[in-house]
Amino acid sequence: MTESPGGSANVPSRDRRRFPGISSRSYEHPADRSALVALRKLSGFDTVFKTLSGLLPERSLRLLFLSDSVRVGEQQFAHLNDMLRDACYILDLEKVPPMYVNQDPQPNAMCIGLDEPIIVVTTGLVELLDEEEMRAVIGHEVGHALSGHAVYRTILLFLTNLALKVAWIPLGNVAIMAIVTALREWFRKSELSADRAGLLVGQDLQASMRGLMKLAGGNHLHEMNVDAFLKQADEYEAGGDLRDSVLKILNLLPRSHPFTTVRAAELKKWAASRDYQRIMDGHYPRRDEDKDTSVSDSFRDSAAHYADSVRNSKDPLMGLVRDIAGGAGDLGGKLRDTVFRGGTRSDGPGSGNNGSGGSDRPEAS
């Protein structure tokens, strides 16, 4: 139960577990966590980073939302205010960030700010989601705040806008876009982390799944099915050939968020994991232990995650990477068949061997 500034109690609609002193390391995606731990361990990094970021129009952003959006509170969007305070209570975030509702039909939410995070949700999102779905989204944004993502998200927004303004300067644009691309790759991983935080706050996997489906297909739940939606993620990962693998990468590069089907599949996988169950049982890293975090351990966890991803991936490109790592004997034929046939070869009767010269390599189709 949370206490409002006036002393009245805001009782959650149902009992949910609380995680006192929880560290963001508990839910952070391995790739996200290793990057953040490394940054936090650099002596004076945050000070230098914020000094160099002094040109960012943070005060302007705050004034803009204050003057042209609706600030959530006890008298405005009170139900969102209750959800926000409840999310901060569950994740034990001491200072409740200001939250604004901005008029925009595009469903979206973000957590930005250099000195202090602020959360912004659009009217399109408020109108699209039900209470439990919205609770997961607000938990998602509070997770960003707890992880310290707001600073880097603000930098990304600024640099993206700057890249558009200097697009006519070839070298300047290339340099900025290189940084933007790297930040986007990190931010996509941070979104997977924040999805996990949203689940810890909402503690309703189906609501999280519904919210992601609505972001993909709109407010037509009667026309959608969670299992079928998740099958799309499997088909996306496994389908096609190397050309499709390259196209997937090119489609993803301009995006700040992972694809919704991929997010849903990742979240469901984490919800079924031992890590999630341990958190729900009250066994998780505490914030007061963050200073003792080992950078090498975090990078080791990240490397193990990527190795496991390559090992278990159904993507044709990852399959080729496994073959290269395993020293595939007929790599040229494997590459040709993966690119042009979208699958593996089969040698033996009926495989297309011409029988000449004792060669066991099938002819290209």
Side-chain angles (χ1 to χ4, degrees):
M1 183 169 63
T2 59
E3 294 291 330
S4 67
S8 60
N10 295 325
V11 182
S13 57
R14 60 183 174 82
D15 290 335
R16 279 179 296 276
R17 290 185 177 135
R18 183 176 179 248
F19 310 104
I22 190 172
S23 168
S24 59
R25 291 181 291 119
S26 303
Y27 58 80
E28 284 167 350
H29 188 279
D32 171 26
R33 185 170 62 240
S34 63
L36 286 177
V37 168
L39 288 174
R40 291 166 182 161
K41 281 289 183 179
L42 291 176
S43 177
F45 174 83
D46 283 339
T47 301
V48 173
F49 197 73
K50 289 180 180 180
T51 300
L52 293 176
S53 305
L55 297 176
L56 294 183
E58 182 183 14
R59 295 179 66 88
S60 175
L61 282 174
R62 291 180 181 275
L63 289 171
L64 177 63
F65 288 121
L66 185 63
S67 64
D68 205 32
S69 301
V70 175
R71 183 162 59 190
V72 171
E74 291 188 331
Q75 294 178 309
Q76 302 187 115
F77 290 100
H79 70 294
L80 296 182
N81 185 55
D82 289 346
M83 292 183 200
L84 174 62
R85 297 183 68 84
D86 194 32
C88 293
Y89 177 73
I90 289 173
L91 293 181
D92 200 17
L93 187 65
E94 293 183 6
K95 187 171 183 179
V96 179
M99 184 162 77
Y100 294 89
V101 176
N102 179 247
Q103 170 61 31
D104 186 343
Q106 183 72 25
N108 198 13
M110 60 182 174
C111 180
I112 58 174
L114 296 178
D115 296 322
E116 294 182 358
I118 60 174
I119 294 172
V120 182
V121 296
T122 65
T123 52
L125 188 70
V126 174
E127 292 163 4
L128 178 66
L129 304 182
D130 68 22
E131 179 180 345
E132 291 303 310
E133 295 156 8
M134 195 69 197
R135 192 182 299 279
V137 168
I138 291 176
H140 174 112
E141 299 305 326
V142 170
H144 276 313
L146 183 58
S147 289
H149 291 161
V151 172
Y152 311 110
R153 173 61 165 161
T154 306
I155 298 290
L156 175 57
L157 286 172
F158 175 74
L159 289 178
T160 301
N161 292 332
L162 182 62
L164 294 175
K165 293 178 182 178
V166 300
W168 59 278
I169 307 176
L171 292 180
N173 186 51
V174 167
I176 292 172
M177 285 310 299
I179 301 173
V180 168
T181 300
L183 277 170
R184 279 177 178 161
E185 171 60 19
W186 159 76
F187 194 74
R188 285 191 290 269
K189 298 298 186 293
S190 78
E191 284 296 292
L192 299 178
S193 298
D195 282 345
R196 296 174 177 184
L199 180 59
L200 291 176
V201 167
Q203 297 174 26
D204 184 343
L205 180 60
Q206 290 304 309
S208 294
M209 293 290 106
R210 291 198 310 269
L212 289 169
M213 282 200 306
K214 284 184 176 181
L215 289 176
N219 193 14
H220 303 281
L221 281 179
H222 62 289
E223 298 285 354
M224 294 185 280
N225 177 275
V226 171
D227 291 335
F229 187 66
L230 291 171
K231 284 181 181 177
Q232 290 180 224
D234 289 336
E235 184 177 342
Y236 171 78
E237 182 184 3
D241 51 31
L242 279 181
R243 292 167 296 185
D244 293 309
S245 296
V246 173
L247 290 174
K248 291 175 190 176
I249 295 171
L250 294 177
N251 285 339
L252 189 61
L253 283 177
R255 295 174 60 95
S256 62
H257 289 58
F259 296 118
T260 47
T261 57
V262 175
R263 289 173 65 183
E266 283 276 343
L267 186 60
K268 185 176 181 182
K269 187 188 306 179
W270 186 69
S273 71
R274 185 170 177 269
D275 289 340
Y276 174 72
Q277 191 55 56
R278 283 181 57 82
I279 295 174
M280 296 304 293
D281 290 340
H283 304 295
Y284 50 81
R286 260 58 176 185
R287 224 167 292 161
D288 55 12
E289 302 167 351
D290 284 350
K291 62 182 182 300
D292 301 321
T293 301
S294 167
V295 176
S296 59
D297 286 347
S298 295
F299 278 117
R300 194 178 302 114
D301 290 344
S302 180
H305 164 78
Y306 280 119
D308 186 63
S309 297
V310 171
R311 186 164 50 249
N312 297 319
S313 176
K314 302 173 186 175
D315 185 270
L317 181 58
M318 292 300 100
L320 185 61
V321 170
R322 285 195 300 269
D323 288 336
I324 293 173
D330 186 14
L331 186 57
K334 182 76 175 180
L335 175 60
R336 181 196 63 209
D337 289 337
T338 306
V339 172
F340 295 108
R341 296 184 181 180
T344 58
R345 296 180 298 128
S346 60
D347 295 333
S351 65
N353 292 354
N354 60 14
S356 62
S359 172
D360 61 355
R361 178 175 297 179
E363 294 179 352
S365 57

